[in-house]
Amino acid sequence: MDFFETIMFPFKWLVSIIMVGFHEGLSSIGLPEASGWTWTLSIIGLVLVIRAALIPVFVKQIKAQRGMQLLQPDLKKLQDKYKGKTDQLSRQAMAQEQMAMYKKHGTNPFSACLPMLIQMPFFFALFQVLSGISTARDQGKGIGAMSHDQVAQFDESSIFGAPLSATLLHNPEGNPVAVTILTIVMILAMTASQFITQKQIMAKNMSEEAMASPFMRQQKMMLYILPIVFGVGGINFPIGVLIYWTTTNLWTMAQQFFVIRRMPTPGSPAAKALAERRAAKGLPALPILGGKKADPEAEAAAAASVAEARTQRIQPQRKNRKKK
């Protein structure tokens, strides 16, 4: 067993245990054990368990992102301070001041990647489990917590005529047309959901300072690079892995929609929209996760317009009376 296999061994067991647990639970309520839909629901159940466990990490990520947004003016001043200084000592001093600033405010620029980094071992573990199904069946072995009978059962299961263990480039037993169509549809759904999630963050949930920061250029590049990477890599993913990644992307998209609407970044278009909605209902502005209020001028203007609309009275018009 090599070093990578040693690291992935506990994750493979955990992934397979959760899948087997959902499969046995679904089978006990009447779903067919050998059905591909039962195993598909087990994979979706795996996503729900992992993403629910990551909710505390997601909350910390949101708080760290708010901190980064509030730090943008100070970071801009720091960059102006060392502008044009390219010597080693100046760059080192700037890096030290940045790290001290991050430490003081309890944030860092890599916090947005934390949930994805935590998910990656589970993703690779699921990839190894599903891609090794056929080999384990032929060798008469199990994988992780899956027995040999369950491995053989999974290998024979399919949805729409496409085996869950098949890939676009490797399909020894399934219907080629069904595998090709389903794989392409899943790859498109996976990449589209990822692109939409990142696009709505950049369009609605970033302040003007963040949009003007140097990190924004990297974010724009990642907006297009990541979907391409996953789309190209998707041709090697088993259909079961595509189901997992598409489901987790849909979870992320819904989660981000909730956050953008209810807990937007201060100074972002979503924060202004929230302030206007609260003002229209006569509610006071709320600080977001301890941050600044979302654009006080917009809130004041929205509140004033609502107050004016409520206090204005329509003067009754006098009817023209005919003289007797």
Side-chain angles (χ1 to χ4, degrees), residues 74-319:
D74 294 334
L75 288 174
K76 184 67 169 58
K77 292 178 182 178
L78 184 62
Q79 290 165 2
D80 293 339
K81 176 182 176 181
Y82 289 95
K83 186 177 182 180
K85 298 179 180 180
T86 58
D87 59 283
Q88 184 66 25
L89 290 177
S90 297
R91 281 190 276 180
Q92 185 176 357
M94 180 178 174
Q96 290 176 348
E97 290 188 39
Q98 279 184 335
M99 294 304 297
M101 194 179 299
Y102 295 149
K103 185 176 181 181
K104 178 181 178 181
H105 293 271
T107 187
N108 64 79
F110 305 106
S111 57
C113 303
L114 190 57
M116 179 176 286
L117 292 176
I118 294 177
Q119 278 193 91
M120 291 313 291
F122 296 98
F123 171 73
F124 285 124
L126 181 64
F127 179 82
Q128 287 188 338
V129 169
L130 299 189
S131 61
I133 287 288
S134 298
T135 302
R137 184 200 63 177
D138 295 339
Q139 295 177 350
K141 298 179 180 179
I143 298 180
M146 296 176 68
S147 65
H148 175 256
D149 292 339
Q150 290 172 329
V151 166
Q153 188 183 85
F154 187 97
D155 193 51
E156 296 172 0
S157 64
S158 62
I159 55 174
F160 302 116
L164 294 178
S165 57
T167 70
L168 185 62
L169 300 180
H170 182 70
N171 175 33
E173 299 179 2
N175 184 335
V177 176
V179 171
T180 300
I181 293 176
L182 184 59
T183 303
I184 292 175
V185 169
M186 295 299 296
I187 290 174
L188 292 176
M190 177 181 68
T191 54
S193 57
Q194 187 172 27
F195 179 84
I196 292 171
T197 300
Q198 295 301 318
K199 186 68 175 178
Q200 72 175 349
I201 293 174
M202 295 173 63
K204 298 181 180 180
N205 204 38
M206 297 190 76
S207 62
E208 294 180 1
E209 292 85 356
M211 294 293 289
S213 68
F215 296 108
M216 190 59 192
R217 187 177 302 171
Q218 300 175 7
Q219 292 291 329
K220 288 181 178 179
M221 291 177 60
M222 297 301 289
L223 173 66
Y224 296 97
I225 290 175
L226 279 180
I228 293 175
V229 169
F230 278 98
V232 174
I235 63 177
N236 294 309
F237 293 168
I239 290 175
V241 174
L242 292 175
I243 292 172
Y244 170 89
W245 205 247
T246 302
T247 305
T248 195
N249 281 355
L250 292 174
W251 173 295
T252 302
M253 188 166 63
Q255 189 171 251
Q256 287 292 352
F257 178 81
F258 175 83
V259 169
I260 290 173
R261 183 170 177 83
R262 299 294 182 88
M263 297 179 291
T265 299
S268 65
K272 296 176 183 177
L274 175 62
E276 291 172 359
R277 289 198 303 271
R278 292 186 63 84
K281 295 178 182 179
L283 300 174
L286 292 177
I288 304 172
L289 291 179
K292 298 176 182 178
K293 293 182 180 179
D295 200 346
E297 293 182 1
E299 292 176 4
S305 62
V306 173
E308 182 180 357
R310 288 183 175 180
T311 54
Q312 278 183 340
R313 294 182 180 179
I314 301 175
Q315 296 296 330
Q317 297 180 352
R318 298 181 62 183
K319 298 181 179 179

